Amino acid sequence: MASDERLVCDRFPLSSKYDPDWVIASASGGANALWLTEWLAEALDLRPGMRVLDLGCGLAASSIFLCREFGVQVWATDLWFGASENLRRIRDAGVEDGVFPIHADSRSLPFASEFFDAVVCIDSFVYYGTDDLYLNYLARFLKAGSPVGIAGAGLMQEIEGPVPDHLQAWWEPSMCCLHSAAWWRRHWERSGILAVDRADVMPDGWQFWLQWQRTVSPNNRTEIQAVEVDRGRHLGYVRAVGRRRAEAKLEEPIVSIPTQYAKTALLRNDRQ
């Protein structure tokens, strides 16, 4: 029987070991999670036994990959996909002792402060991490000096003004969350919370974007044509890595403000 060469890529040797049917079945977004995770891991110093938060993990493919390839413990956390189904996938992958599925919102995480040695986020940080206040919340769960790393779809340059004509058919209002590597560097540095180690783009990332779409969704002609015509001018993959500054002062989130109500006159004429 001929070998299945789908998703085999010299650029991603670790990812190429995984069965393409498993990779496709475990996909929860528009990108190859293993390719992005392998690329991000190249900029991280992951060591066996480290505690890693995989935020917005989808169907936990990235979490399973991180555990198997780097020996780290992973808390596979997602809001859209349930922990029970992810646990079945984790068990079948043989990493039940190293990957722990969690069902939680990115803004309501059930972890202790300074619990993690690293936070990774594959192709989902744009949905919540653009909030100016979010990094202050997330960094609380990291030990000082530990990294936050993100990788996913992004822009090669910020789009100033109207969306280019060749992207109009594919573009939706929600895509305004896509940003460039330079934008992420500024966004993180201005907070004073992270020291940014890396903010760059994947060389020829648009071609890997196309390869993935042609494999898993060949009928998605609108997106495929947009990427084909764009040829990396605006669309591609973006990566950023920053480390929590030890001197950064993080504000504790406000859960509630205690008040004491005292009845007063509602209108001026009600005063006695």
Side-chain angles (χ1 to χ4, degrees):
M1 182 176 63
S3 62
D4 190 340
E5 296 299 316
R6 288 176 302 160
L7 304 181
V8 171
C9 182
D10 292 340
R11 174 62 183 82
F12 305 109
L14 299 180
S15 303
S16 295
K17 298 185 300 183
Y18 290 77
D19 186 280
D21 287 335
W22 183 87
V23 176
I24 293 170
S26 301
S28 56
N32 185 321
L34 299 197
W35 288 351
L36 291 178
T37 306
E38 185 169 348
W39 180 48
L40 179 60
E42 294 168 1
L44 300 171
D45 182 21
L46 297 177
R47 299 181 301 278
M50 290 177 66
R51 293 174 176 171
V52 176
L53 170 59
D54 187 359
L55 189 58
C57 69
L59 295 176
S62 53
S63 304
I64 292 167
F65 179 86
L66 287 167
C67 180
R68 287 181 54 89
E69 301 300 330
F70 301 97
V72 295
Q73 294 181 298
V74 186
W75 277 256
T77 304
D78 199 85
L79 175 65
W80 293 350
F81 299 95
S84 296
E85 181 184 347
N86 275 351
L87 178 59
R88 295 175 58 191
R89 187 173 291 102
I90 290 164
R91 282 173 175 165
D92 289 344
V95 291
E96 185 178 0
D97 292 338
V99 181
F100 314 109
I102 303 291
H103 184 246
D105 191 302
S106 62
R107 300 176 185 274
S108 185
L109 298 172
F111 305 115
S113 296
E114 301 187 359
F115 182 77
F116 292 106
D117 300 296
V119 174
V120 302
C121 188
I122 304 300
D123 211 28
S124 70
F125 201 72
V126 294
Y127 297 119
Y128 41 84
T130 57
D131 183 339
D132 289 340
L133 303 180
Y134 185 70
L135 197 58
N136 178 84
Y137 173 76
L138 180 64
R140 296 170 50 250
F141 303 106
L142 266 178
K143 299 174 183 175
S146 297
V148 176
I150 67 172
L155 301 178
M156 301 301 96
Q157 55 185 317
E158 291 297 305
I159 297 176
E160 304 294 344
V163 175
D165 291 342
H166 67 280
L167 298 180
Q168 287 281 357
W170 172 70
W171 194 270
E172 299 175 354
S174 62
M175 292 177 186
C176 66
C177 67
L178 297 180
H179 288 290
S180 64
W183 188 94
W184 283 110
R185 178 181 288 277
R186 291 194 302 270
H187 185 61
W188 283 0
E189 286 181 341
R190 69 197 284 260
S191 73
I193 295 172
L194 296 183
V196 180
D197 295 341
R198 188 81 61 96
D200 57 6
V201 301
M202 182 186 292
D204 298 321
W206 68 277
Q207 295 187 29
F208 296 115
W209 187 328
L210 271 181
Q211 183 180 346
W212 172 253
Q213 284 297 320
R214 287 168 176 167
T215 300
V216 304
S217 189
N219 294 325
N220 184 10
R221 293 306 305 166
T222 302
E223 180 170 341
I224 289 174
Q225 289 174 355
V227 179
E228 285 176 338
V229 175
D230 185 73
R231 297 186 62 83
R233 284 179 290 166
H234 298 89
L235 303 179
Y237 292 135
V238 171
R239 173 178 65 177
V241 176
R243 297 182 181 276
R244 177 184 166 182
R245 295 180 181 274
E247 69 276 15
K249 295 182 179 180
L250 304 179
E251 297 181 4
E252 288 295 316
I254 298 175
V255 178
S256 65
I257 300 177
T259 61
Q260 184 173 357
Y261 174 73
K263 183 178 180 180
T264 61
L266 177 64
L267 303 176
R268 290 178 181 271
N269 291 337
D270 290 341
R271 292 183 179 181
Q272 299 299 324

